[in-house]
Amino acid sequence: MNDTSGLPIAITSLKSNLQYATLKTLSLVSISVMSPQQTVQELFRTADCVCFDVDSTVIQDEGIDELAKFCGKGDEVKRLTAEAMGGNMTFQEALKKRLDIIRPNVGQIREFIEKFPVRLTPGITELVKELHERGVIVYLVSGGFRSLIEPVAERLNIPTINIFANRLKFYFNGEYAGFDENEPTSRSGGKGLVVRRLKELHGYQRLVIVGDGATDAEASPPADGFIGFGGNVVRDEVKKKAAWYVTDFQELIDSFTIQTKS
């Protein structure tokens, strides 16, 4: 006959060991789970593609506001820009309204570029250089105008084929004729469409978008991560949507140093 007198004790001991092992496993799992901010930080450190907004992110100004001031339409356009970036109207509505007010001609565009050189945001040159050295592909994805962004790309050694922005149209005599409404960046959701196409075309697995506005935040997803930038202007509604919000590009540069040390 088998002795079963010690069986209850053995079962109790086994249960205790299983509970301990389960708790230990859960503890380890909880330690390894990253916060939303840490997730975006890790995505950025290992990114194979980074898309930057331009106005108030890569550069210190809103290009369309500065162009409007140059053309004598500054106050009207600045108000519409604030509404557009705050998400209070569709981007295409705001773009059309602003351009209908400014109506810049070819001569004004050329003169503006000559007289008002690009004001890069501090730290962006070093950040883009660091990304390039790491083999990360960098794009400029903007609701601004390609003609104003090309000098920015040149300063940062970003190929012009990596610019996705709006194209102005002119009549044969150089007068304003509108903008290309087929450009995805001319409408709400356009940046997300650009991101999706880039991922499909190039197979990027860890694409991060960086910007200050509502159109940048809404592009993630399909972007794998969004970093809100408030170094030039802080938009509260964008800050709330960003798992990682920075006010200095040095924070992004330093994240690579943290990775190296760890």
Side-chain angles (χ1 to χ4, degrees):
M1 182 180 295
N2 294 328
D3 182 7
T4 60
S5 58
L7 189 57
I9 297 175
I11 292 174
T12 301
S13 177
L14 179 60
K15 286 182 178 179
S16 296
N17 289 337
L18 286 171
Q19 288 173 347
Y20 174 76
T22 301
L23 288 171
K24 188 174 181 181
T25 301
L26 288 173
S27 177
L28 289 172
V29 169
S30 64
I31 291 172
S32 64
V33 172
M34 294 188 291
S35 68
Q37 177 174 316
Q38 289 171 325
T39 300
V40 177
Q41 288 172 333
E42 183 61 22
L43 273 170
F44 179 72
R45 287 193 290 263
T46 60
D48 50 9
C49 174
V50 176
C51 296
F52 287 97
D53 174 44
V54 178
D55 295 336
S56 293
T57 299
V58 167
I59 65 173
Q60 298 179 50
D61 307 301
E62 286 288 331
I64 193 168
D65 287 349
E66 297 305 310
L67 179 62
K69 283 193 288 186
F70 179 76
C71 296
K73 305 290 185 178
D75 291 339
E76 296 174 77
V77 169
K78 189 172 184 178
R79 176 179 56 80
L80 282 170
T81 297
E83 291 183 29
M85 295 307 290
N88 297 323
M89 69 176 74
T90 69
F91 186 82
Q92 193 167 65
E93 287 174 344
L95 183 63
K96 185 178 187 305
K97 286 182 179 180
R98 289 178 290 180
L99 285 173
D100 284 345
I101 292 170
I102 305 170
R103 303 190 68 80
N105 59 48
V106 170
Q108 287 174 315
I109 293 291
R110 289 174 179 167
E111 188 178 358
F112 175 75
I113 292 172
E114 291 174 2
K115 291 187 175 181
F116 294 91
V118 171
R119 293 202 309 152
L120 295 175
T121 300
I124 188 61
T125 302
E126 293 80 6
L127 176 57
V128 171
K129 181 181 179 182
E130 177 73 24
L131 290 169
H132 282 159
E133 289 177 351
R134 289 173 171 269
V136 180
I137 308 301
V138 177
Y139 293 88
L140 299 178
V141 182
S142 172
F145 309 127
R146 186 180 182 90
S147 55
L148 304 185
I149 293 172
E150 286 177 349
V152 178
E154 184 178 359
R155 289 274 300 275
L156 296 173
N157 294 315
I158 296 173
T160 54
I161 59 171
N162 287 11
I163 298 173
F164 290 87
N166 294 313
R167 295 177 184 271
L168 295 174
K169 297 192 295 186
F170 302 96
Y171 292 113
F172 70 93
N173 62 354
E175 292 301 308
Y176 174 71
F179 63 95
D180 186 352
E181 296 184 18
N182 292 320
E183 287 287 347
T185 52
S186 71
R187 54 186 181 272
S188 297
K191 289 186 179 181
L193 181 58
V194 169
V195 167
R196 185 176 292 109
R197 287 177 178 174
L198 287 174
K199 295 187 75 173
E200 291 173 354
L201 184 61
H202 301 288
Y204 298 126
Q205 298 297 310
R206 296 176 303 283
L207 187 153
V208 176
I209 187 165
V210 183
D212 70 287
T215 57
D216 306 303
E218 72 179 9
S220 178
D224 301 289
F226 166 62
I227 300 173
F229 183 73
N232 293 306
V233 58
V234 174
R235 308 185 198 280
D236 290 335
E237 68 283 350
V238 175
K239 188 174 182 178
K240 291 174 184 176
K241 294 177 182 178
W244 188 17
Y245 193 84
V246 303
T247 57
D248 192 325
F249 282 129
Q250 190 61 45
E251 295 179 57
L252 303 188
I253 297 170
D254 289 344
S255 70
F256 296 125
T257 305
I258 294 171
Q259 181 193 35
T260 301
K261 289 181 178 179
S262 62

